Amino acid sequence: MNFATIGQNIVKLFIKYWDKFLITGLEYTLSLAAITVCVGAVFGALIALMRMSRIAPLRWIAAVYTEIIRGTPMLLQLYLFYFALPMLIPILNKQQYACVAIALTCNSAAYVSEIFRSGIQAVDIGQTEAARSLGLSQRLTMTEIILPQAIKNILPALANEFIMVIKDTSLASTFFIGDLMTQCLLVKGATYLTIEPLIIVGIIYFVLTFILSKGVAAMERRMRRGDIR
C-alpha cells in the first residue's frame, strides 16, 4: 500500500465517519478533560493546603497520596478505579465513564497540588507577614491575600495541565467509553484499516493541542504585559 492509497483512504474514512471523530469522540474527550481539570483543581488546592498545614497528620496524608499517585502508572490507576470503585460504591456499577473520570481526576489532583503549592510558595513571604501584622487571621491571609496571587501565577500551568489531560484521556479507550481513541478502534474494526484511523485521530489531537498551546502562550504574554504595567 503506497502513500497515495493511504491518503485516499484517510479522506474517505473522514468523510464517512467524521461524526464519530469530530462529534462523539471530541465530545467525550473534551468533557472528560474538562471534568478532570476542574474537579482536579479543587482537590489539588485542598491537597496543597494539607501539605502546607501545621497539622502533621494532614501533611502526611497529603504527602503519601501525592507520592503514590505520582509514583504509579496512570493505566494501573485506571484499572484499579475501574474495577475497585464499583465494589466499594455499588451505585457506580456499570458506570464506566464515571469510574474513568474519577481515576483521571484523582491522578490530576496530585499533580495540580504541586502546581498550587509552588504557586503559593512563590508569593513573597513579606505579604503574609504584613497581612498578619494588620490583624488578619491565617485563614483570611490565605484566602484574601495569598491564593488570589498564587492562582494568577499558576493559570498557565493549569492550562498546560488541561492540554496534558486531553492526551492522557486516550488511555480511557482501554474501557471503550467513547473518546477519540475509542472511535479510532471502532472505525478500525469496521473497516479493517489500521494506519488511516490512527492518522486521523493523531491529526485531531495535534490540531486541538496546538490551538490550546497557542492560546496558553498568548495568555502568558498578556499576563507578563500586565505585570510590567
Side-chain angles (χ1 to χ4, degrees):
M1 184 179 293
N2 55 38
F3 290 108
T5 304
I6 293 176
Q8 292 174 359
N9 289 338
I10 289 173
V11 173
K12 291 178 182 178
L13 282 181
F14 188 77
I15 293 174
K16 185 176 182 179
Y17 296 103
W18 69 270
D19 56 334
K20 285 184 175 294
F21 287 122
L22 291 182
I23 297 179
T24 305
L26 265 182
E27 178 185 352
Y28 275 91
T29 295
L30 291 177
S31 64
L32 194 58
I35 291 171
T36 299
V37 171
C38 292
V39 181
V42 175
F43 282 108
L46 293 176
I47 294 169
L49 293 176
M50 287 172 64
R51 290 204 68 175
M52 301 177 67
S53 172
R54 295 180 180 179
I55 303 174
L58 292 180
R59 292 200 309 271
W60 298 337
I61 292 171
V64 169
Y65 173 84
T66 303
E67 293 303 323
I68 289 176
I69 294 297
R70 296 177 67 190
T72 55
M74 183 184 291
L75 187 58
L76 173 62
Q77 296 166 23
L78 284 170
Y79 273 111
L80 288 175
F81 277 82
Y82 186 84
F83 291 110
L85 272 182
M87 291 188 291
L88 297 174
I89 309 174
I91 196 174
L92 291 177
N93 190 31
K94 296 183 180 180
Q95 299 293 326
Q96 295 95 331
Y97 184 90
C99 292
V100 170
I102 292 171
L104 290 174
T105 297
C106 291
N107 179 275
S108 179
Y111 291 91
V112 170
S113 68
E114 292 301 294
I115 295 174
F116 267 101
R117 192 160 68 96
S118 62
I120 291 172
Q121 292 176 339
V123 178
D124 188 0
I125 190 64
Q127 299 205 35
T128 302
E129 296 172 349
R132 297 305 300 274
S133 67
L134 291 173
L136 271 70
S137 65
Q138 184 177 358
R139 182 180 64 84
L140 283 176
T141 300
M142 179 61 68
T143 57
E144 301 294 333
I145 305 298
I146 306 302
L147 280 181
Q149 297 181 69
I151 290 174
K152 180 182 177 181
N153 293 334
I154 66 176
L155 276 178
L158 284 178
N160 282 317
E161 175 68 11
F162 179 68
I163 295 173
M164 293 298 297
V165 169
I166 287 176
K167 293 184 288 185
D168 290 340
T169 57
S170 61
L171 294 173
S173 63
T174 307
F175 309 104
F176 288 87
I177 65 166
D179 62 297
L180 277 170
M181 281 303 297
T182 298
Q183 301 306 321
C184 174
L185 296 174
L186 293 175
V187 172
K188 173 185 171 184
T191 60
Y192 300 102
L193 295 173
T194 302
I195 299 298
E196 291 84 344
L198 289 173
I199 293 176
I200 292 173
V201 170
I203 292 172
I204 294 173
Y205 272 119
F206 173 77
V207 171
L208 185 60
T209 55
F210 180 80
I211 292 173
L212 290 173
S213 63
K214 290 301 180 183
V216 172
M219 180 177 65
E220 290 177 337
R221 289 194 297 270
R222 186 170 182 178
M223 290 175 65
R224 281 197 297 268
R225 287 199 297 268
D227 291 338
I228 292 173
R229 292 175 185 176

